[in-house]
Amino acid sequence: MSNDWTGERDRALDFHWRVPEGILASAGVPACPDRKHDAARRSILAAVCIAADTAPGEGAWISYSRRRAFYANQSRYQGLAYSYDRVLRVVDELLDLGLIEEMRASPGAHLLPNARQSRIRATPDLIHAYRDAPFEYETKRSRLILKDEAGDVIGYDPTRQTRRLEAELDRINAYLGTVSVTMPTGDGWEHATRVVRARNDKRGTWACVVPTPLPEAYRVFGRGRWDRHGRLYGWWQSLPKGARKDLLINGEVCVEPDFATLHPRILYAARGHVLRHDPYETGTFPRAEGKLALNVALNAKTMNAAAAALMDKDTWGHGWDYTRGLLKAVVARNAPIAADIGADRGIRCMAVDSAMAVDVLKACGKASVPCLPVHDSFIVPASKGSWMEAKMEEILTGVLGAVTRSPASIIG
């Protein structure tokens, strides 16, 4: 089997959906008395079928690991059936049954630049067998996720802080579960049994989402710390921004107010300044490029890394001199926070904006305002747009004041 492949990032194997037990035989899958092995089979079958749904005719792949160490502490997030032995046994079984195909990575290939893990996908026979079958949803066991420096999911020991964060997230999800989301049909939208595709008119591409029975969010922290990152994620965030405006929230057309220039404003406050100008407008380069450059640089550890990240984007199309010139112009435009550009401040700003999002959702729950969070913006019924903008401004004013008084968490 070859490990030479390129293209878009594969979907990661997860155990959040299962093929119903009663239809296993329709694909020639024999009965199994081992309940955890059976659960692993049904989850992997569902995962590869959903991947096929997301890109019909293209044979979308699922990536999975063949490293034992990868599965340490994963049961917290995926359930007890998700283990090294079971995943590899099920993959071998489904290969023997002719229900999946595999491209296996060489040992250690995951350490190479731009390398992929091993990958599997559904065969046409499997897709046909379960073509119109609805799958069972298995909610995330823990919606509070911790990642290490490399971005890999790691386990954590319960503490007072993690229990507080988990309880807070449970309350948010109980509230989100009361929000009704309706996606339109017709031009620009395609509905299948398990997925919905929406066209990105700006790029001419299609985004695909796998809606859960009720809206729910999970929260991701980074660097092995509970004061880094912390943003909320839900399936609706994968819809193109232009498509999100077509959603109906509790049956009503929606709006999506946002916190404009949020990270620059946080950093200006941490430096004792108030941002009163457009930080993306350099006067020399297009504003859209200035915005992209500043936001990339705030998340980069060095200016060279920021330039490389920009040039690595497929749509960038500029050389080194142009890119470096743009970054210098962005720094000059934002002299009060020059020390924060190319200094890895983004992950700290995310911790602030994620806490703000939690505060917004708490306020919405208290006021019975339906809302879906999208990091620094919030989808609400149009009739609640003015209320939401006022509440967001109130929360932002309080946070910027707190950052000014105690800047160490951002620039310390």
Side-chain angles (χ1 to χ4, degrees):
M1 284 170 261
S2 170
N3 66 348
D4 180 20
W5 58 78
T6 59
E8 295 298 321
R9 186 178 182 88
D10 296 335
R11 293 176 63 85
L13 177 64
D14 66 56
F15 276 23
H16 302 317
W17 295 87
R18 290 183 185 175
V19 171
E21 187 173 9
I23 67 169
L24 281 174
S26 64
V29 182
C32 175
D34 183 332
R35 301 303 297 173
K36 289 188 175 64
H37 181 78
D38 180 65
R41 291 193 310 178
R42 293 194 287 130
S43 293
I44 292 175
L45 286 166
V48 294
C49 286
I50 290 172
D53 288 344
T54 64
E58 298 179 13
W61 293 88
I62 288 284
S63 68
Y64 80 102
S65 179
R66 299 186 65 87
R67 292 184 295 120
R68 185 179 294 274
F70 175 88
Y71 294 86
N73 301 308
Q74 290 293 321
S75 61
R76 171 185 290 277
Y77 306 110
Q78 304 285 355
L80 294 175
Y82 191 90
S83 70
Y84 171 80
D85 290 326
R86 287 193 190 91
V87 169
L88 269 62
R89 281 174 54 207
V90 170
V91 167
D92 288 342
E93 178 186 5
L94 298 181
L95 284 168
D96 289 342
L97 290 171
L99 298 178
I100 62 172
E101 56 181 297
E102 179 189 43
M103 293 179 70
R104 186 173 299 181
S106 302
H110 65 285
L111 300 174
L112 300 174
N114 302 316
R116 291 185 188 267
Q117 292 181 318
S118 295
R119 60 200 323 217
I120 53 178
R121 68 178 174 184
T123 62
D125 286 345
L126 176 58
I127 295 170
H128 177 76
Y130 296 149
R131 181 179 59 249
D132 299 319
F135 293 161
E136 300 169 349
Y137 180 63
E138 298 286 329
T139 189
K140 292 180 183 295
R141 278 74 181 177
S142 174
R143 298 187 184 94
L144 193 66
I145 297 173
L146 185 64
K147 293 187 176 183
D148 62 15
E149 184 76 28
D152 294 327
V153 174
I154 57 176
Y156 61 86
D157 294 324
T159 64
R160 179 180 296 179
Q161 182 182 23
T162 63
R163 285 190 286 269
R164 177 185 63 79
L165 290 169
E166 288 168 345
E168 182 177 70
L169 196 50
D170 285 343
R171 290 191 292 272
I172 286 173
N173 277 303
Y175 153 74
L176 289 175
T178 67
V179 178
S180 171
V181 186
T182 304
M183 286 175 280
T185 57
D187 185 47
W189 292 85
E190 295 180 353
H191 290 248
T193 302
R194 297 175 286 263
V195 305
V196 178
R197 288 178 285 274
R199 186 173 60 224
N200 187 331
D201 289 329
K202 190 174 182 180
R203 297 183 180 179
T205 57
W206 288 78
C208 187
V209 295
V210 186
T212 51
L214 296 174
E216 62 179 37
Y218 59 97
R219 198 172 181 189
V220 180
F221 290 84
R223 310 279 174 88
R225 298 175 55 153
W226 301 109
D227 60 350
R228 297 290 187 270
H229 203 299
R231 280 182 161 179
L232 295 156
Y233 292 87
W235 61 261
W236 55 88
Q237 295 176 7
S238 296
L239 292 170
K241 184 174 183 179
R244 293 200 298 266
K245 66 178 175 57
D246 296 330
L247 298 177
L248 297 181
I249 302 298
N250 284 15
E252 186 179 338
V253 295
C254 67
V255 293
E256 188 178 341
D258 66 350
F259 288 114
T261 63
L262 181 56
H263 287 189
R265 294 172 81 176
I266 291 171
L267 290 166
Y268 269 77
R271 295 293 179 181
H273 298 272
V274 176
L275 178 60
R276 302 188 186 279
H277 65 274
D278 185 341
Y280 308 133
E281 184 57 73
T282 63
T284 305
F285 297 89
R287 182 184 185 278
E289 291 184 355
K291 179 178 180 179
L292 179 61
L294 179 56
N295 288 326
V296 166
L298 291 180
N299 288 283
K301 294 185 177 181
T302 67
M303 293 301 289
N304 283 342
L310 286 167
M311 294 178 64
D312 193 47
K313 294 183 178 296
D314 293 337
T315 57
W316 186 241
H318 297 299
W320 180 262
D321 289 342
Y322 183 98
T323 304
R324 288 289 296 181
L326 169 61
L327 287 168
K328 288 180 180 178
V330 166
V331 171
R333 177 63 167 164
N334 296 280
I337 61 168
D340 303 308
I341 303 174
D344 195 28
R345 295 287 192 250
I347 197 166
R348 300 188 183 199
C349 292
M350 288 180 198
V352 176
D353 74 45
S354 68
M356 292 171 64
V358 168
D359 287 344
V360 169
L361 291 174
K362 287 179 178 178
C364 288
K366 187 175 181 180
S368 298
V369 173
C371 170
L372 296 177
V374 190
H375 302 326
D376 60 357
S377 64
F378 301 88
I379 308 171
V380 294
S383 63
K384 301 297 182 182
S386 296
W387 179 91
M388 176 59 86
E389 290 176 354
K391 180 57 64 175
M392 290 168 63
E393 185 62 29
E394 174 189 325
I395 290 172
L396 176 62
T397 299
V399 167
L400 294 181
V403 168
T404 301
R405 293 189 296 273
S406 302
S409 63
I410 307 297
I411 60 175

